Amino acid sequence: MVTGFFMKRFSFFIILCLSIFCCCLKAAAENSSNGYSFLNIPTSSHVFALGGNNITIIDDDVTLADQNPALIGPELDKQVAVNYMYYMSSGNFAGARFGMGVGENSAWAVGIRYLNYGKFDGYDEFGSPTGEFTPSDLVVEGTYSRDITDRWRGGANIKMAYSSYEQYTAFALAADLGVNYYDDEKDLSFSVVLKNMGGQVKRFNERYVRVPFDIQIGYMQGIGSSPFQISITANNLTRWNIPYYEHKDEGTGDLLHEKSGFFTNFFRHLIFGVQFEPSDKFYAALAYNYKTHSDMTEFKSSFFSGFSLGAGFRTRGFSIGAAYAMPHSGASSLMLNISCSIGELL
């Protein structure tokens, strides 16, 4: 009975995903390029600590909705959360989100994100200065999730993105569809997400810019009866070959060489994390993202490039989290989260 019910829901989900995916492919015209990468910047310090992308975290945290809409559920008790991220040398990102459970099997959330990249000097095509400008992005999103069975949950996230770069503006629509399987007895979480399905509605100019569609698979597992968990997140699964470039001095100058071997591509798809969670009141996390590390080899990478770490605390009704990463030796990023479960305080 339960199996048949689940298969009907799961089949409908797959058909819906494939239909939207086909629409996305049709919208991606030949005269197009990739953009809107800011949609992949997390709003959760917990996620940032685990490599910047994690779709399997099981926590009472409304900010997880932008990673996988199936990670929020009826356990949300009128939760409001704010986040701030200092990004590299001049970026300042902030956001807020509110979510709550609906009945025994559903939940919804709404959120807004503002990304400010600092001040830039503008010039026209003749090299004449046009004054300073501040490029920015604004994302408004809504999320809905529902339990499919006792262990399976599905969800959808709709995003509207507005970009303003000097005198140019653009607007895009995108959606995430995700499922999560969670076995509390085995402390096992498994997820699949179709992320950023959609396209550009208003262009900057005549060129069409695609949103960064991705297929992601995640796994998180407790290690025996210990307070440790491991996580593996596979992303960029829409393509196998994701090369990077490194400097190599061959006597004729410092040249860029493409690196694109089997193991290079394999590990650039994966993010590895470990979490220490002795209770539901505290966690500490550490992760390694090889893609981030290898991308920085063209610049001033360091030993810590690709690593991220963070911790979070929870008291009655309140929680706070922080995460830190240093992509290369010249800059670092810090993210902070504060949330309040209003229902627990009443």
Side-chain angles (χ1 to χ4, degrees), residues 116-183:
N116 182 305
Y117 304 98
K119 293 183 179 181
F120 291 81
D121 294 323
Y123 297 89
D124 61 20
E125 64 271 28
F126 304 107
S128 301
T130 59
E132 289 186 340
F133 69 97
T134 302
S136 61
D137 297 300
L138 180 69
V139 183
V140 179
E141 51 199 318
T143 307
Y144 178 78
S145 71
R146 184 172 179 82
D147 292 338
I148 303 172
T149 68
D150 291 341
R151 294 180 176 176
W152 284 94
R153 178 181 293 168
N157 190 34
I158 306 298
K159 296 176 280 192
M160 297 174 286
Y162 174 79
S163 299
S164 176
Y165 303 159
E166 215 245 343
Q167 77 266 32
Y168 302 99
T169 60
F171 180 74
L173 291 173
D176 306 331
L177 293 177
V179 291
N180 172 257
Y181 171 85
Y182 178 57
D183 187 335

Side-chain angles (χ1 to χ4, degrees), residues 24 27 36 171-174 196-202 208-211:
C24 295
Y36 295 93
F171 180 74
L173 291 173
N196 297 324
M197 299 178 294
Q200 194 174 43
V201 178
K202 180 183 182 299
Y208 181 84
V209 178
R210 292 178 293 174
V211 296

Side-chain angles (χ1 to χ4, degrees), residues 60 77-80 281 313-320 338-346:
D60 182 12
D77 199 357
K78 297 175 183 170
Q79 186 179 119
V80 59
K281 304 295 183 183
F313 303 87
R314 175 178 287 122
T315 61
R316 182 179 178 273
F318 290 93
S319 64
I320 183 171
I338 300 176
S339 65
C340 172
S341 294
I342 301 173
E344 294 183 23
L345 299 177
L346 298 178

Side-chain angles (χ1 to χ4, degrees), residues 258-320:
E258 181 180 297
K259 302 283 288 185
S260 184
F262 175 82
F263 288 104
T264 295
N265 280 304
F266 179 77
F267 285 105
R268 278 171 62 80
H269 285 282
L270 302 177
I271 302 172
F272 300 93
V274 61
Q275 178 169 276
F276 173 68
E277 190 175 20
S279 73
D280 59 359
K281 304 295 183 183
F282 170 78
Y283 75 84
L286 174 69
Y288 180 68
N289 187 331
Y290 176 65
K291 184 177 185 299
T292 299
H293 177 83
S294 53
D295 283 344
M296 290 297 105
T297 59
E298 185 180 343
F299 305 98
K300 295 180 179 180
S301 62
S302 70
F303 172 81
F304 297 102
S305 297
F307 283 99
S308 57
L309 56 90
F313 303 87
R314 175 178 287 122
T315 61
R316 182 179 178 273
F318 290 93
S319 64
I320 183 171

